[in-house]
Amino acid sequence: MPYQQVRRSVVSAQLLLQLAADHGLPAAAALEGTGIGPEALADPQQEITAAQELRLAGNLVKALGHVPGLGLEAGQRYHLSAYGIWGFALLSSPTFRSAADIALRYLDLSYAFVRFGLREQRGELHVLMDDREIPEDTRRFLLERDFAAFINMVRELRPGGLPILGAQFAFRRPAYADRYTALLGAEPRFDAAEHSAWLDAAYVDAPLPQGNSIMASMGQEQCRQLLARRRVRIGVAGRVRDRLLQNPGDMPGVETVAAEMNMAVRSLRRRLDEEGTSFRALVDEVRQALAEELLTTAKMKLEEVAMRLGYSEPAAFVHAFKRWKGISPMAYRAQRLGELGGGAP
């Protein structure tokens, strides 16, 4: 599901409004065109879409983009307590590696626009930050915000923080580069090939002081349920998704679905685009959700899972699953069964 359409807590919008107020920007100007009303802001249980928060961020950049390091300043306001159950699940994790796994698996429960990833090499754990999906006008602001929020998370998981060895960014050295150094405790590189930070891998498996495997498991289950609720499809996308779920092993093409809905193919594609998705994305969404369920709950061979999802060859399914989750189907199954207290099927 496109992250712009996933609902999220209004808390992040509240934090951005506080930033705006501290720099003299009225709330009305910051909220222009967002569709976020006073009643939503008054209730921390209210939810908005990422697209609404993106518009809010755009308003801040337009009005306050001249403020050096505005994104870094914003990110330092994000503490684990602001993330609800996602933050609780991270704090309960036995190790930083397990916390990172939960963070990535349920990233849409955070407020991040950056897509984070992990890569381990030469005794270092690299945290990758991909900002390519973020609109250009807010890209630097949100990258800096999400990076600073990540640094806060690392420090709060263990008193004194985990040793961050360095970081690099794929843009020119800004005039306020000293703020990056103060935040990191190390001087970052600029004009690099990617955005990333790295930690000493020797520390990522050390016990965290607040780690509790039982509480972490409870937190993960609550994260799973909350994310499922927030990803519920409505409108035309919901109708298409329901149709695809009827027979995932033999999914109909867009022409068939359009005909069944008494719509022209062009009209269906346009409506889905308006709702922030596409027919191809919905097919992937259905297959991914079913793949995760079958790998976790059904004692089926890889070939059987692939066939059940409409793949003619297991290799095509493996390739697709790695694109969705970053790991192979069998690695995902082993990981999930370990978390649930099961053994290998």
Side-chain angles (χ1 to χ4, degrees):
M1 187 172 184
Y3 72 85
Q4 297 94 330
Q5 297 301 313
V6 177
R7 289 173 289 144
R8 52 176 57 190
S9 167
V10 76
V11 169
S12 183
Q14 294 171 340
L15 293 173
L16 292 180
L17 283 176
Q18 291 172 10
L19 175 70
D22 289 348
H23 286 278
L25 181 65
L31 292 171
E32 183 180 358
T34 64
I36 303 173
E39 66 287 346
L41 291 167
D43 181 2
Q45 299 303 315
Q46 287 289 321
E47 293 179 348
I48 59 174
T49 66
Q52 288 177 292
E53 186 176 328
L54 187 62
R55 177 61 185 267
L56 172 56
N59 291 341
L60 262 64
V61 171
K62 184 176 180 180
L64 303 173
H66 60 280
V67 178
L70 184 69
L72 297 177
E73 182 183 344
Q76 289 177 279
R77 297 168 183 251
Y78 288 73
H79 299 279
L80 281 174
S81 58
Y83 294 96
I85 189 62
W86 186 81
F88 171 75
L90 266 59
L91 278 171
S92 305
S93 298
T95 66
F96 179 80
R97 189 186 299 276
S98 60
D101 177 68
I102 294 171
L104 295 182
R105 185 179 306 165
Y106 301 107
L107 188 62
D108 284 339
L109 294 181
S110 74
Y111 308 117
F113 285 89
V114 167
R115 301 289 90 184
F116 286 87
L118 295 177
R119 180 181 66 217
E120 196 161 353
Q121 63 182 49
R122 296 192 298 274
E124 297 175 350
L125 185 69
H126 289 228
V127 178
L128 312 176
M129 297 170 282
D130 186 348
D131 62 354
R132 289 174 294 179
E133 293 184 25
I134 304 175
E136 188 174 355
D137 61 335
T138 54
R139 188 173 298 160
R140 176 72 68 85
F141 171 78
L142 289 171
L143 172 66
E144 290 185 339
R145 186 199 71 167
D146 292 351
F147 168 69
F150 157 72
I151 297 298
N152 267 4
M153 180 194 77
V154 170
R155 288 177 175 164
E156 291 178 8
L157 283 174
R158 190 178 76 178
L162 291 162
I164 298 177
L165 301 178
Q168 60 184 12
F169 299 91
F171 49 76
R172 291 182 179 179
R173 180 185 181 88
Y176 51 89
D178 59 317
R179 297 194 182 185
Y180 279 89
T181 303
L183 186 62
L184 271 172
E187 187 171 353
R189 306 170 191 163
F190 296 97
D191 285 315
E194 64 183 14
H195 308 306
S196 61
W198 50 95
L199 303 87
D200 188 336
Y203 290 88
V204 300
D205 292 313
L208 292 176
Q210 300 180 72
N212 183 308
S213 355
I214 295 176
M215 298 303 291
S217 295
M218 291 174 58
Q220 285 187 66
E221 178 57 23
Q222 290 177 311
C223 282
R224 187 191 67 77
Q225 294 176 11
L226 176 58
L227 188 58
R229 291 197 300 272
R230 287 185 176 177
R231 284 178 166 174
V232 169
R233 289 284 189 184
I234 58 175
V236 172
R239 292 169 60 193
V240 172
R241 189 177 189 274
D242 290 344
R243 174 61 183 87
L244 295 175
L245 280 167
Q246 290 176 17
N247 188 5
D250 186 21
M251 287 190 185
V254 64
E255 295 82 5
T256 300
V257 174
E260 291 176 357
M261 296 175 65
N262 297 315
M263 298 175 68
V265 172
R266 181 178 297 179
S267 298
L268 176 58
R269 293 189 188 279
R270 184 181 69 252
R271 292 288 297 277
L272 291 176
D273 182 65
E274 290 169 356
E275 294 181 15
T277 188
S278 67
F279 188 82
R280 180 72 258 171
L282 289 172
V283 170
D284 267 3
E285 182 181 315
V286 168
R287 282 178 166 163
Q288 179 182 344
L290 291 174
E292 292 176 14
E293 185 69 19
L294 291 173
L295 289 167
T296 303
T297 63
K299 293 185 177 181
M300 300 171 64
K301 295 180 179 179
L302 186 65
E303 294 80 1
E304 294 174 313
V305 175
M307 185 178 298
R308 184 72 64 89
L309 297 176
Y311 290 95
S312 57
E313 295 289 339
F317 168 58
V318 172
H319 177 76
F321 196 88
K322 285 183 176 179
R323 175 166 53 85
W324 298 330
K325 305 296 291 183
I327 59 175
S328 72
M330 300 313 289
Y332 176 82
R333 168 178 274 175
Q335 187 179 75
R336 289 292 290 140
L337 290 177
E339 291 167 358
L340 296 171

